[in-house]
Amino acid sequence: MSTPIAISFAETDLDAIDAATGRVAVFVGEDGKLDPSARRVNKLIRGALSRFVESPAFEKMSPGDVTSLAYPAQLDVEAVDVVRLEKRPGADVARKAGAALAKLMKGGDVLLLAGSNAGAADIAFGFALRAYTFDAHKSAEPTVPGKVRVMATKPEEVAAAAGPMAALAEGVFFTRDLVNEPANILTTDDFAARLAAMQELGLEVEILEEEDLRKLGMRTLLAVGQGSESPSKVVVMRWNGGEKDAAPLALVGKGVVFDTGGISIKPAAGMEEMTMDMGGAAVVSGVMRALALRKAKANVVGLVGLVENMPDGKAQRPGDIVKTMKGDTVEVINTDAEGRLVLADVLWYAQERFAPAAMIDLATLTGAIIIGLGNYNSGVFSNDDDLCNAFLAAAAKEGEGAWRMPLGDAYDRLLKSQLADMKNVGGRAGGSITAAQFLQRFVKDDCPWIHLDIAGVARVSEETALAPKGATGWGVLTLDRLIADRFEA
Ligand code: BES
Ligand code: MN
Ligand code: ZN
C-alpha cells in the first residue's frame, strides 16, 4: 500500500536553516512582511528574497502561488520557494500551496518554514496528498523520497492538527491505490481481502459470499457477476464510534472490478479504463479507513457490492428479467447498465438491515455525467434538501467539485417496461438522471439519501491540485467532513 510521505514538525531553529539542503520554502503574506525565518533566509541569500517581494512579480502572485528563486547564494539548496500565503489561509488554499511545493520536490530534502502561519498543518497535508505515487507495478526500485520537515513557532499545535489529517491522507491513498490497481490484481477476492485486513484497525468487517447473497435474494447483483470467474461479494464494514444505539450513516459503493459491458459489450478503444469501475466502493473503503484511524465518534456502516461484468456462456443476456431483493422485476435491456443492478440490491439490504439515519451511495455510474459535468464535478442527486446542502457545503470547503442534478417523475417514467416492473435503461437523454431514478426506486421515502455519480472525477487524465494524474480519491475528504460536521457527537 502507498503510505503518505513522512513529515516531521520542529520548532523554528534559525541556525539550522543555514545547513538546509534540498529546497527551502518561505511563506509571505500580501503585506510582504518577512517573519524571522524568512529574514534569516533573506540574509543568507543576500537580500534576494526582499528584492523579489518588493518586485511586481510578487504583486502578481495569487494566494497559494509559488515562485522559485534559483541558485541562492550561501545556502546549499537547489532553490528557495517563495509561497504567497496570508497568515490565516483557508484550508483549501493552504493545501494547494503545500501541493505546489510537493510537485517541485525532486527527491532531495524539503524544509518548510511555516513560522506562525495558521495553515501549517494544511500545508503539510496538501504536500502529502500531492506527493502520492503509485509504483506498485514498476520494476525499477522506487526512489526514496527526501525528508520533509516543517519548522513552526508552535510545532506541538501543528502536529496535533496534522494527526487527523494523516488519517485522512491514509484513507485517500487507500482509495487511490484501489482505483489504480488493474483488474487482474484487484479481483473481487483481493478487494475483499484488503477490506478484511482493516479489522486490525478496529473495523468490523463481514464478507457475504454468493451463497449468502442467494439466500438474501440479491438476484440482480448476482446476475451481473454470473458471467465472471470471480465470485460476487458484498462486504459490510462497520465503525461504531458513536452512541450505542444511534442509527448509523450508511455509505454504499459500486464495486465493479471490471466492466466489459457484458453481452452488451463495450467498444475496445478505452475499455482499459473500466478498471476504475469500482471507484465508488474504493471511496467508501477509504472513508471507513480514515474514520477508524482517527477514531471518529460516529456510527457509520460501509457496504460495497463487488462483482465483475464479463460476457460468457453463463452471462446474463439483454432481455432477461430478474427480480431484485426488494421484489420488483427488472427487464435488462442493456447489460452494460450494470451498476444500478448491483446498487439496487445493496441499497435495499442496507436499509432492511441497518435502518440508517441517512444513506449516501457512490458509483462510477454513467458516461453521461462526464458529458454533462466533465471531470471537474461529481453529479449529486438527493431526495433531501437539508442533507444535500450540508454535503455541498462540505464539498465546497474541501475543494471537491460537486453539482446538484434534478430528479422527478418525468424521468422516472422513462424506466417503464412492457414486460416487467421497470427496465434498466431510460434512453440516452438525461442518462445520468434516469440512472439515479432507477436507484431511487430502491430508497425508502423516509430515508434521506444522496447518490453521487463519480464517473468523471474518480480518475482523471490530467493532474489536479492535490493529486497526480490517475486516481484522485475524490469524495473521501468531503464525506469525512460531512460526518464530522453532522454525525459526530
Ligand atoms: N461503468 C460505466 C460508466 C462509466 C463510463 C464510468 C465511463 C466511467 C467512465 C457504466 O456501467 C456504463 O456502462 N454505463 C452506461 C449506461 C448505458 C448503457 C445506459 C453508459 O454510461 O454508457
Ligand atoms: Mn457498464
Ligand atoms: Zn459500470
Side-chain angles (χ1 to χ4, degrees):
M1 215 208 72
S2 309
T3 42
I5 192 167
I7 300 179
S8 62
F9 303 95
E11 195 170 344
T12 304
D13 172 354
L14 297 178
D15 292 334
I17 296 172
D18 304 14
T21 59
R23 303 184 81 94
V24 172
V26 296
F27 300 84
V28 187
E30 55 275 359
D31 59 5
K33 275 213 195 112
L34 303 185
D35 71 5
S37 50
R39 283 206 297 278
R40 180 70 163 234
V41 170
N42 188 43
K43 198 173 132 212
L44 287 165
I45 63 178
R46 300 202 180 110
L49 177 56
S50 49
R51 282 196 298 283
F52 172 72
V53 166
E54 283 150 26
S55 75
F58 179 75
E59 194 61 38
K60 283 202 201 98
M61 289 169 75
S62 302
D65 284 356
V66 181
T67 302
S68 300
L69 306 180
Y71 311 114
Q74 283 179 31
L75 251 179
D76 194 17
V77 296
E78 293 158 32
V80 170
D81 297 317
V82 186
V83 186
R84 180 160 172 160
L85 198 65
E86 54 274 54
K87 271 265 171 248
R88 311 207 138 268
D92 54 335
V93 180
R95 288 173 193 177
K96 277 174 191 160
L101 293 169
K103 238 182 99 173
L104 293 168
M105 186 172 73
K106 297 191 181 73
D109 296 342
V110 177
L111 178 61
L112 308 175
L113 299 174
S116 59
N117 195 295
D122 276 299
I123 293 166
F125 186 43
F127 195 107
L129 289 176
R130 186 60 183 77
Y132 171 87
T133 54
F134 184 73
D135 299 327
H137 306 294
K138 300 256 196 197
S139 303
E141 279 292 310
T143 45
V144 187
K147 282 203 291 292
V148 182
R149 288 183 298 155
V150 178
M151 280 189 185
T153 36
K154 290 184 179 153
E156 321 76 41
E157 275 179 24
V158 182
M165 295 183 196
L168 266 174
E170 261 207 51
V172 171
F173 286 20
F174 193 66
T175 300
R176 288 181 186 172
D177 281 357
L178 289 167
V179 170
N180 281 327
E181 284 288 13
N184 60 327
I185 306 279
L186 191 75
T187 58
T188 56
D189 282 315
D190 184 69
F191 200 143
R194 291 183 194 210
L195 300 185
M198 292 209 291
Q199 285 175 117
E200 279 173 32
L201 306 176
L203 284 165
E204 279 172 36
V205 183
E206 196 181 327
I207 300 175
L208 305 178
E209 303 289 352
E210 285 190 352
E211 207 186 292
D212 307 310
L213 304 179
R214 230 169 273 127
K215 280 190 202 136
L216 286 164
M218 293 205 201
R219 285 167 295 259
T220 51
L221 180 147
L222 287 164
V224 172
Q226 75 193 27
S228 169
E229 289 290 318
S230 293
S232 300
K233 294 167 198 281
V234 170
V235 182
V236 181
M237 295 164 270
R238 301 181 73 176
W239 176 254
N240 298 316
E243 273 167 42
K244 200 166 165 300
D245 295 312
L249 166 69
L251 301 176
V252 176
K254 169 181 173 181
V256 176
V257 295
F258 195 76
D259 181 13
T260 63
I263 297 299
S264 313
I265 199 161
K266 288 179 181 295
M271 202 202 276
E272 72 283 358
E273 287 177 20
M274 286 303 118
T275 56
M276 52 77 97
D277 210 19
M278 29 52 67
V283 175
V284 171
S285 307
V287 172
M288 297 309 293
R289 189 178 187 90
L291 293 176
L293 285 168
R294 73 173 180 80
K295 307 218 180 317
K297 292 188 172 55
N299 296 339
V300 181
V301 56
L303 302 101
V304 295
L306 305 179
V307 301
E308 187 180 35
N309 189 20
M310 295 287 265
D312 175 79
K314 292 203 190 70
Q316 70 173 335
R317 323 154 202 44
D320 282 5
I321 294 177
V322 190
K323 191 180 257 181
T324 62
M325 180 181 176
K326 182 184 175 189
D328 295 344
T329 55
V330 180
E331 184 185 4
V332 180
I333 300 293
N334 190 321
T335 65
D336 197 12
E338 84 296 342
R340 61 198 77 179
L341 299 173
V342 172
L343 288 175
D345 279 344
V346 184
L347 288 169
W348 192 253
Y349 176 68
Q351 294 163 95
E352 290 285 285
R353 177 161 171 202
F354 297 107
M359 183 161 67
I360 302 177
D361 77 73
L362 297 103
T364 49
L365 202 63
T366 65
I369 202 70
I370 311 177
I371 303 302
L373 300 177
N375 298 110
Y376 311 108
N377 282 286
S378 162
V380 182
F381 302 81
S382 183
N383 64 357
D384 187 292
D385 290 347
D386 189 42
L387 179 67
C388 188
N389 289 335
F391 179 86
L392 293 171
K397 279 196 230 162
E398 295 298 325
E400 293 185 319
W403 194 261
R404 190 169 183 180
M405 302 283 288
L407 290 164
D409 285 343
Y411 300 102
D412 188 71
R413 281 196 284 276
L414 299 173
L415 297 170
K416 207 168 149 53
S417 159
Q418 281 285 332
L419 303 170
D421 297 334
M422 71 194 85
K423 52 185 184 176
N424 77 329
V425 293
R428 260 170 65 80
S432 304
I433 309 173
T434 49
Q437 288 300 156
F438 186 95
L439 299 182
Q440 192 175 8
R441 288 177 174 231
F442 301 92
V443 176
K444 298 181 184 179
D445 284 338
D446 60 356
C447 181
W449 161 74
I450 296 176
H451 156 57
L452 299 167
D453 192 337
I454 62 169
V457 295
R459 184 169 68 191
V460 295
S461 54
E462 297 287 337
E463 61 179 331
T464 64
L466 299 182
K469 77 180 215 185
T472 59
W474 184 99
V476 175
L477 302 184
T478 297
L479 287 168
D480 184 81
R481 180 181 284 267
L482 182 74
I483 290 164
D485 287 353
R486 220 180 144 94
F487 295 93
E488 274 187 86

